[in-house]
Amino acid sequence: MQTSITLSALGHFIVFVLILMVGGYILVTLKNINALLREIKQIVQKNKDHINQIIPNINEISKNSVIISNSLKTSVNEAGESIKMISMETVDAVVTINETVNRLTQYTNSMGEIVKAIVNLFLSGKK
């Protein structure tokens, strides 16, 4: 007893097996999606009171968030300007101090030269 399978029958068998595999995968995926939806429904049911309290306030929360972010942006800009001004004032103060020290050094050198000249004048007069 000899049986033979035609290529057409083999092709149909392969397609049938592929359809079974895809169908099984789809069933497992749908089962997982159904379990996930069930969990989401339980979470929503458990927190329904909280959600109902939050929903009317979403508009106000959004407005407050915009106000706070604008206020924060303004504060950061003002702080940046203040830091820039402080650094400029500090540089100006350092330059002024350096100029003053240079002048004092010149005055001290000049006074030293005058004192030296007077001392030399008296010393040369005693000889």
Side-chain angles (χ1 to χ4, degrees):
M1 174 160 156
Q2 194 176 19
T3 36
S4 62
I5 298 176
T6 63
L7 290 177
S8 175
L10 182 63
H12 285 114
F13 178 73
I14 291 173
V15 169
F16 176 73
V17 169
L18 286 175
I19 289 174
L20 281 178
M21 289 172 50
V22 169
Y25 179 76
I26 288 173
L27 286 175
V28 170
T29 303
L30 287 174
K31 180 183 171 204
N32 289 337
I33 290 173
N34 192 23
L36 180 66
L37 289 174
R38 209 174 302 123
E39 285 183 36
I40 291 172
K41 182 179 177 182
Q42 288 174 354
I43 291 171
V44 168
Q45 288 296 328
K46 185 190 268 187
N47 295 307
K48 190 172 185 177
D49 294 335
H50 297 286
I51 293 171
N52 287 337
Q53 289 175 352
I54 290 173
I55 288 177
N57 297 327
I58 287 178
N59 189 26
E60 187 175 336
I61 291 169
S62 174
K63 288 178 185 177
N64 289 342
S65 298
V66 169
I67 291 169
I68 289 171
S69 64
N70 287 337
S71 175
L72 184 62
K73 180 180 175 184
T74 303
S75 298
V76 168
N77 287 337
E78 288 174 358
E81 290 296 320
S82 298
I83 291 170
K84 190 162 107 178
M85 187 62 77
I86 288 170
S87 67
M88 292 172 135
E89 293 294 327
T90 304
V91 168
D92 290 344
V94 169
V95 168
T96 304
I97 290 170
N98 283 338
E99 289 174 355
T100 304
V101 168
N102 287 337
R103 283 188 198 134
L104 286 174
T105 305
Q106 289 174 353
Y107 291 146
T108 305
N109 288 339
S110 298
M111 290 174 140
E113 292 294 323
I114 292 171
V115 169
K116 191 193 270 184
I118 292 174
V119 168
N120 286 338
L121 182 66
F122 284 120
L123 289 178
S124 65
K126 287 186 178 181
K127 290 184 183 180

